[in-house]
Amino acid sequence: MLKIKNLKAGVEENQILKGLNLTVKAGEIHAIMGPNGSGKSTLSAVIAGNENYEVEEGSIEFEDEDLLDLSPEERAHKGVFLSFQYPVEIPGISVSNFIKTSINERRKALGIEKLSTPDLLKLMREKMELLSIKKGYLSRNMNEGFSGGEKKRNEIFQMAMLSPKLSILDETDSGLDIDALRIVANGVNKLKSKDNATIIITHYQRLLDYITPDYVHVLYNGRIIKSGSKELAHELESKGYDWITKEADKEWA
Amino acid sequence: MGLINEIKNYSDKKNLSADKRSALDNFLENGFPTIKDEEWRYTSLKKTISGKYSINAVGRDVTKKEVEKHSLGLKHKIILVDGFLISKPEIKNISISAYSEFISNTNEALEKLNYSLAKNGYTISVHANTTIEEPIEILFFNTVENNFIQYRNIITVGDNSQVKFIEKIQNIDCDNVFVNSFTHINCESNSKLEFNKIQNNTPNSSLIDTVDVFQKKDSVSNINTLIFGGKFIRNNLNFEQNGTNAESNMNGISVLNKNQLADNHTFVDHKSPNCRSNEMYKGVYLEKSKGVFNGKIMVREDSQKIDAFQSNNTLLLSEDATINSKPQLEIYADDVKCSHGCTIGQLDKEALFYMRSRGIGKEEAQAILTYAFASEAINNITINKVAMLAKKLLINKLDVDLDHNI
Ligand SMILES: Nc1ncnc2c1ncn2[C@@H]1O[C@H](COP(=O)(O)OP(=O)(O)OP(=O)(O)O)[C@@H](O)[C@H]1O
Ligand SMILES: [Mg+2]
């Protein structure tokens, strides 16, 4: 589904991703871990099409199509979804209006007719139940004054509403309380199918107790320096990153 | 050629009273202001006054259907056609009548012109101790193409009284109409006024709208100016606070495209202590449109404990759009809280990316953010129907597919 080859990207003079390779197939869940500042959010931003980052080299293919050629909205229409590490507040537009616009813009691009308001409300109710979201929140302005955890939950709610093919969850677990973590994980598991894939960026093993990844990668200094099974996450939790990053530092020295 | 000659011809033919004659002579001495006048530096009347005009011409009647089409559907409607009062509501403790002559002591050229040529307008007097719950709609219809017309209005809100107005100027079957309007408002002690101006006339219309508000002690006046349509708009909004604890509030929204120009000149004269003023103007400029804002606040020497706030925030959404924004604070008292801020910006990039990553196209995303920017000022409007209309006009103008009812 997703093929990233030798990706080098950064801002202005500063190269952040330094030759990154990653392949994700439909039906898989990948976890990406790594120290602060290693480039995890940059990777997700580049996949989603943030124009702040410049791609110098390499390629990203999504379902055998060159993703780098597409605008952020076109990527979204193809089924790429990024749950932001820091969701943005959008004043003046309610959650329900935002989601409605987002769904219908995608439908328009795909040549499907607009979702009717009753159908939309039905779908919203369904997904709100799945994620234990209270009703009043639909009429609040998008992320405005939301607590950290509420913002993250709102990201997953949008994911559920949009049913993307590839979801990238950038530290969606940070800021969630234990119950919310379980609810969100449960939501992600329920939405999982053989046709979609998920990349989970996280610092903690905890989330992986609920969502079992097929692969765990360590991203360090702009590259994936180690990949393994879910046991790798346990190992990282007890040993930290030192033992692999030192090796990588030596190799590049 | 041009309007100034038409005015001369007109005045030669008419019998004007001595006062009016002298006001007109006074106007004709310098003619219309030009960009050499400091107050008109960025706002050129040249094109507007070069056209061919009739003066104060009267056209046809307006049908009930047409009224309905342009009205907000409020119960109380005052209707004027080509400046003449043709219909008014019966409201207890309010007297409403047609134009009546009154002198104002301003020195503005356009006021002099207005005074000398005016035959049209309304006179409203809200008696003391009266609260009018339902807002009153004032509809000005113009029906004559290439017409230059004066409105001269006066409103008095009596002691302890409260009232809300919505004023709208609408061309019907005509487009190139130039309105020079002057409204004198007296807010008596402890009165409360809300006045909403909806400026959404046809694409080639021109408007100069001057409102002078005189406030006595403990009075509150809120004036909202919503600018969407028209080619040339100049608003002069002046407050004079002549009593303690008076409050003057202004909200403005301009959403312009094409070659539209809107100029908001505001002036608050804090002549008494312990008063407040609060001003928030927002502008969104698309295509080749042009905005001008000049906010003058004067705090006189003995006017202590004044609290004055002013902001003018602008979104420039095209390379060709321009804004000239100027705060002008003249403070002669020392115990004063006065703040002003002015921002000129583009849209928040992070927010744009966030929305686009959710599948919302770039233009749509821009429109939504613009909507959010402007709606902050709309939220200060207390009449629901006006706020709804403003939202609708905003959405239409931005060409965005949002349901304003949500
Ligand atoms: N827009 C930017 N401008 C300048 N530097 C940037 C920008 N975005 C990222 N960086 C830098 O690139 C590096 C990688 O940042 P990134 O946010 O991708 O890290 P991360 O792995 O997500 O970290 P964390 O675990 O703290 O979220 C950091 O050193 C960061 O300062
Ligand atoms: Mg990050």
Side-chain angles (χ1 to χ4, degrees), chain A residues 11 14 16 34-43 52-53 85-86 170-171 203:
Chain A
V11 274
N14 181 14
I16 302 168
N36 293 130
S38 57
K40 303 179 299 294
S41 293
T42 303
L43 174 63
N52 282 344
Y53 298 92
Q85 182 175 0
Y86 305 107
D170 190 357
E171 294 197 27
H203 286 295

Side-chain angles (χ1 to χ4, degrees), chain A residues 49-52 71-73 76-77 81-82 84 88 90-94 96-98 102 105 114 142-143 155 158, chain B residues 348-364 368-369 371-373 375 401-404 406:
Chain A
N50 189 332
E51 284 154 5
N52 282 344
S71 66
E73 55 270 34
H77 300 155
F81 179 89
L82 168 61
F84 281 53
V88 184
I90 315 279
I93 180 164
S94 66
S96 61
N97 216 343
F98 185 94
S102 150
E105 283 268 296
K114 278 189 185 177
M142 194 66 187
N143 290 331
E155 294 292 278
Q158 290 173 71
Chain B
D348 177 5
K349 273 197 176 155
E350 278 305 304
L352 267 180
F353 172 61
Y354 181 77
M355 300 175 88
R356 293 177 74 189
S357 82
R358 296 289 139 92
I360 301 173
K362 191 176 174 184
E363 261 145 46
E364 188 83 2
I368 290 170
L369 290 178
Y371 174 80
F373 167 83
S375 61
D401 194 10
L402 274 181
D403 187 345
H404 63 278
I406 296 191

